[in-house]
């Protein structure tokens, strides 16, 4: 990824219905979303000029907004087209796409009534989230201090910006300790997810993955489950306790940014980068690149 600051780049951003120069796509400091986390977003990937599962991402953006009480003025079709337009306008082929919707500056207090909903879509070149060498070796994860909360605590199935504060804390701590990422447990002490990706484990030819009852059921997660089942691999969604990791042979992450990324270590537990991981990596890569 380019080291250039994200506020100082050439190009255009789709902003409330029009393409504006990148550096002009700004909001006021007294914006509700900045102070209270009243924002939802998506992460999408364009491969060979086409955004993978665009419609699902646009629909999830709208659904996430509804969970936060947003009355989004743009339809799924309009959000789809905005993403397509911004990729094309920036001359991108392989890119990361970021739609974001937020509450504006009309109110400055906890209450949201009276705030307008704004929408923007940006896109930029972004290579693999984790370096290729690290992916093939398998990432090292530490077990995070912070936990995913109960669904009775927050709208856990919304891709809401505020929910990622805990993930940022966990990711920063992990990298400071020499790890690639962190595994987060949930409020019950069960395995949940990494900081921005879902997790799978393999044992005796069967894939096991946590049931997403208090965290996001990722689009890539669902895609990989389909790919595994097409291969005749059984997938079980269930509660997984941390000590069970001692008996798993392989492990990997899934996410729009992470794609399919094998793991070699989680805390005290070790895994091999085996054939199932490699097969699903290739299957996913073939799918998104329309091979």
């Amino acid at each position: 990824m380019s080291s250039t600051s994200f506020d100082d780049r050439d190009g255009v951003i789709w902003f409330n219905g029009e393409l504006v120069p990148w550096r002009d796509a700004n909001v006021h400091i007294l914006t509700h979303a900045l102070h209270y986390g009243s924002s939802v977003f998506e992460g999408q990937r364009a491969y060979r000029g086409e955004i993978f599962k665009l419609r699902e991402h646009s629909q999830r953006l709208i659904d996430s907004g509804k969970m936060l009480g947003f009355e989004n003025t743009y339809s799924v079709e309009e959000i789809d087209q905005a993403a397509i337009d911004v990729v094309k306008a920036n001359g991108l082929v392989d890119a990361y796409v970021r739609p974001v919707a937020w509450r504006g500056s009309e109110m400055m207090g906890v209450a949201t009534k009276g705030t307008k909903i704004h929408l923007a879509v940006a896109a930029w070149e972004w290579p693999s989230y984790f370096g290729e060498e690290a992916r093939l070796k398998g990432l090292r994860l530490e077990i995070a201090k912070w936990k995913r909360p109960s669904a009775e605590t927050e709208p856990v199935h919304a891709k809401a910006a505020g929910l990622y504060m805990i993930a940022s804390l966990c990711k920063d701590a992990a990298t400071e300790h020499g790890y690639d990422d962190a595994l987060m447990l949930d409020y019950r002490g069960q395995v949940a997810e990494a900081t921005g990706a879902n997790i799978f484990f393999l044992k005796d030819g069967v894939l096991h993955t946590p049931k997403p009852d208090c965290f996001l059921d990722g689009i890539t997660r669902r895609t990989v489950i389909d790919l595994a089942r097409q291969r005749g691999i059984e997938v079980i969604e269930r509660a997984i306790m941390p000590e069970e990791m001692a008996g798993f042979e392989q492990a990997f992450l899934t996410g729009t940014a992470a794609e399919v990324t094998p793991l070699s270590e989680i805390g005290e537990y070790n895994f091999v980068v085996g054939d199932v991981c490699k097969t699903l990596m290739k299957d996913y890569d073939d799918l998104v690149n329309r091979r």
Side-chain angles (χ1 to χ4, degrees), residues 7-141:
D7 64 349
D8 186 21
R9 298 185 175 206
D10 296 328
V12 295
I13 291 175
W14 190 95
F15 194 103
N16 286 337
E18 59 181 341
L19 293 171
V20 302
W22 190 289
R23 295 174 181 84
D24 295 341
N26 300 311
V27 297
H28 195 273
I29 193 68
L30 296 180
T31 296
H32 196 279
L34 178 62
H35 294 257
Y36 300 101
S38 52
S39 171
V40 296
F41 70 97
E42 279 297 314
Q44 307 167 348
R45 290 286 287 269
Y47 298 90
R48 300 185 179 185
E50 184 174 317
I51 301 171
F52 183 63
K53 296 209 169 180
L54 174 58
R55 176 55 54 91
E56 289 186 42
H57 281 287
S58 297
Q59 184 62 59
R60 188 171 67 179
L61 183 75
I62 289 176
D63 293 342
S64 293
K66 288 178 180 177
M67 293 180 208
L68 270 65
F70 282 22
E71 294 182 11
N72 204 313
T73 57
Y74 295 99
S75 67
V76 174
E77 291 77 14
E78 288 172 320
I79 298 171
D80 282 353
Q81 192 60 52
I84 292 167
D85 290 348
V86 81
V87 169
K88 183 178 180 181
N90 285 294
L92 299 169
V93 177
D94 297 310
Y96 188 82
V97 186
R98 170 54 57 88
V100 58
W102 69 95
R103 292 189 181 277
S105 56
E106 294 78 16
M107 288 289 296
M108 188 42 58
V110 174
T112 65
K113 187 176 181 181
T115 55
K116 292 181 180 178
I117 305 303
H118 301 269
L119 179 67
V121 185
W124 60 91
E125 287 187 4
W126 196 0
S128 178
Y129 190 50
F130 299 104
E132 193 62 25
E133 183 179 348
R135 290 180 73 207
L136 293 175
K137 274 177 59 177
L139 303 185
R140 299 174 60 248
L141 273 58

Side-chain angles (χ1 to χ4, degrees), residues 185-237:
L185 307 181
D186 69 15
Y187 66 102
R188 299 162 294 200
Q190 299 173 4
V191 173
E193 59 177 351
T195 60
N198 295 121
I199 192 164
F200 288 79
F201 301 97
L202 183 80
K203 182 178 182 180
D204 299 329
V206 176
L207 282 175
H208 302 258
T209 188
K211 188 176 180 180
D213 56 0
C214 67
F215 55 89
L216 203 64
D217 180 10
I219 291 172
T220 308
R221 176 186 184 274
R222 297 197 299 266
T223 301
V224 170
I225 288 174
D226 289 342
L227 290 172
R229 287 175 174 160
Q230 289 169 23
R231 287 276 184 183
I233 300 169
E234 183 181 0
V235 182
I236 300 175
E237 300 178 72

Side-chain angles (χ1 to χ4, degrees), residues 260-290:
V260 178
T261 297
L263 305 176
S264 63
E265 180 182 329
I266 302 176
E268 63 184 283
Y269 307 107
N270 296 298
F271 311 94
V272 298
V273 180
D275 290 343
V276 171
C277 285
K278 292 176 181 177
T279 295
L280 291 173
M281 285 176 70
K282 184 179 186 304
D283 285 352
Y284 185 78
D285 189 63
D286 287 345
L287 177 65
V288 298
N289 284 287
R290 304 184 299 283

